[in-house]
Amino acid sequence: MQGRRGEVLVEPHSDIPGRFRVGLKLLALGKNEARRELRVEELWPHKNRLALKFAGVDSISDAEDLVGSELQVPRGERAQLEPGWTYISDLVGCVVFDHDREIGRIEDVRFGAGEAPLLIVGAGSKEREIPYAEAYLQSVDLGRRQVKMLLPEGMLELDAPLTAEEKKQQQKR
């Protein structure tokens, strides 16, 4: 939250200059997974973030309802991307492959853990965090809902459970 008139501070994850403008319609995806349509009434930069004033959000208590929400640009308002670029939100639901081995389905994308966003990939009862880094990316086929990667050897084993032998070795220490 930013001010008494219901302004909110957001951390934009867009490389498109001028992406946010007065009149832009956004969808706020709340913690309860409900979507709410908002329209930008005013905006200004504030300490490496962006302050937004939405129509109908006129008080601190109105703004509190938006805390923790993810703001999404509706598909119809999206900018055309250059070839080779992908909207992160389009990756959710895609199946990730390492070389030719299926790893699992992308359930979420998280930011802030480094330069590259983390793909949260569900594989049965496991959840893996895989950096969506250009160095590892082989191809993205949104039509087939597939992301093909060439991950460094051992990366997927970093968070694997210990084997019986590894547990014995730890107990000896």
Side-chain angles (χ1 to χ4, degrees), residues 24-84:
L24 176 68
K25 289 183 181 173
L26 297 170
L27 299 173
L29 179 62
K31 293 175 185 165
N32 62 358
E33 299 296 316
R35 280 189 165 76
R36 175 179 173 187
E37 186 174 293
L38 300 167
R39 186 178 52 77
V40 177
E41 207 171 64
E42 296 177 51
L43 69 150
W44 58 94
H46 182 75
K47 297 181 183 179
N48 295 328
R49 293 197 224 165
L50 195 58
L52 300 177
K53 167 68 179 86
F54 296 112
V57 179
D58 300 316
S59 68
I60 291 175
S61 62
D62 289 345
E64 284 175 343
D65 292 339
L66 298 173
V67 171
S69 293
E70 177 181 317
L71 295 176
Q72 301 172 334
V73 176
R75 289 187 191 278
E77 297 252 1
R78 285 181 171 180
Q80 187 67 33
L81 296 178
E82 294 178 28

Side-chain angles (χ1 to χ4, degrees), residues 10-172:
V10 299
E11 183 179 327
H13 294 284
S14 175
D15 294 331
I16 301 167
R19 171 75 206 97
F20 297 92
R21 59 179 167 35
V22 171
L24 176 68
K25 289 183 181 173
L26 297 170
L27 299 173
L29 179 62
K31 293 175 185 165
N32 62 358
E33 299 296 316
R35 280 189 165 76
R36 175 179 173 187
E37 186 174 293
L38 300 167
R39 186 178 52 77
V40 177
E41 207 171 64
E42 296 177 51
L43 69 150
W44 58 94
H46 182 75
K47 297 181 183 179
N48 295 328
R49 293 197 224 165
L50 195 58
L52 300 177
K53 167 68 179 86
F54 296 112
V57 179
D58 300 316
S59 68
I60 291 175
S61 62
D62 289 345
E64 284 175 343
D65 292 339
L66 298 173
V67 171
S69 293
E70 177 181 317
L71 295 176
Q72 301 172 334
V73 176
R75 289 187 191 278
E77 297 252 1
R78 285 181 171 180
Q80 187 67 33
L81 296 178
E82 294 178 28
W85 288 81
T86 305
Y87 280 104
I88 294 292
S89 59
D90 287 342
L91 297 174
V92 174
C94 289
V95 175
V96 176
F97 291 86
D98 176 27
H99 296 82
D100 289 329
R101 186 176 117 204
E102 183 176 323
I103 304 303
R105 189 170 307 277
I106 299 171
E107 296 174 350
D108 195 9
V109 181
R110 293 190 190 133
F111 295 88
E115 286 191 31
L118 287 177
L119 302 177
I120 308 305
V121 179
S125 62
K126 285 183 166 183
E127 185 179 89
R128 298 182 189 267
E129 295 179 348
I130 301 174
Y132 187 63
E134 190 173 347
Y136 306 146
L137 189 61
Q138 182 179 19
S139 67
V140 175
D141 185 340
L142 293 177
R144 295 179 70 193
R145 308 292 296 150
Q146 294 181 348
V147 175
K148 294 189 177 181
M149 303 187 88
L150 299 172
L151 300 173
E153 189 173 326
M155 177 182 267
L156 294 175
E157 285 72 35
L158 288 176
D159 60 353
L162 296 176
T163 64
E165 183 60 33
E166 290 169 327
K167 287 179 186 176
K168 285 181 187 177
Q169 290 296 325
Q170 277 192 346
Q171 289 173 350
K172 288 180 183 179

